[in-house]
Amino acid sequence: MKNIAIIFNHPPHGTSCGRETLDLALALSDINQISVFFINSGVINLLKNQQPDKILMRDYISTFSMLSLYDITNVYVCADALLALNITASELVIDAQAMTKIEMAKLLSKHDAIINI
């Protein structure tokens, strides 16, 4: 079992990065300890009340609530990005521990592998 960090670094719509990163996290969780990190515009993935159907994109945001069902409980969000994007913790679809970029860098260094799509 590896301790793997998966980083969401891109906004949820316009590309398939968010959906593919989420699928990867869920798939790898079967045999690994997964931590997920939302940084930069990747924090937008966690916003409630998105309407991707209006831009003909698939709605996968509600799937983030399944992370805990896959034993992915280490969920971190960049406090600096939340502040820069004027997003509060109450606007997120799941609970995530807010950390500064420096705190995240220290935590990331403790993982066996880091995946940033």
Side-chain angles (χ1 to χ4, degrees):
M1 176 181 284
K2 297 273 186 183
N3 190 10
I4 299 174
I6 297 179
I7 298 174
F8 289 82
N9 192 25
H10 300 284
H13 308 297
T15 70
S16 60
C17 286
R19 176 65 195 185
E20 290 173 0
T21 303
L22 179 58
D23 287 346
L24 179 66
L26 297 177
L28 290 176
S29 68
D30 191 34
I31 57 172
N32 297 287
Q33 174 65 43
I34 303 297
S35 299
V36 292
F37 294 78
F38 295 87
I39 64 172
N40 300 324
S41 57
V43 301
I44 298 170
N45 282 282
L46 296 179
L47 267 178
K48 293 178 184 174
N49 303 320
Q50 296 190 40
Q51 299 174 332
D53 55 314
K54 292 191 175 189
I55 57 170
L56 305 177
M57 297 295 294
R58 185 173 174 194
D59 185 4
Y60 66 90
I61 303 304
S62 60
T63 308
F64 283 107
S65 63
M66 295 184 64
L67 289 174
S68 61
L69 295 176
Y70 283 77
D71 293 326
I72 300 174
T73 56
N74 298 327
V75 180
Y76 307 100
V77 62
C78 179
D80 303 321
L82 290 176
L83 185 62
L85 295 167
N86 198 25
I87 299 171
T88 63
S90 65
E91 296 175 281
L92 305 179
V93 294
I94 59 172
D95 291 330
Q97 183 178 347
M99 320 179 107
T100 66
K101 287 182 179 179
I102 294 170
E103 293 170 324
M104 283 188 156
K106 288 179 183 174
L107 188 56
L108 282 167
S109 70
K110 297 178 181 176
H111 287 79
D112 299 318
I114 299 171
I115 299 172
N116 185 8
I117 299 174

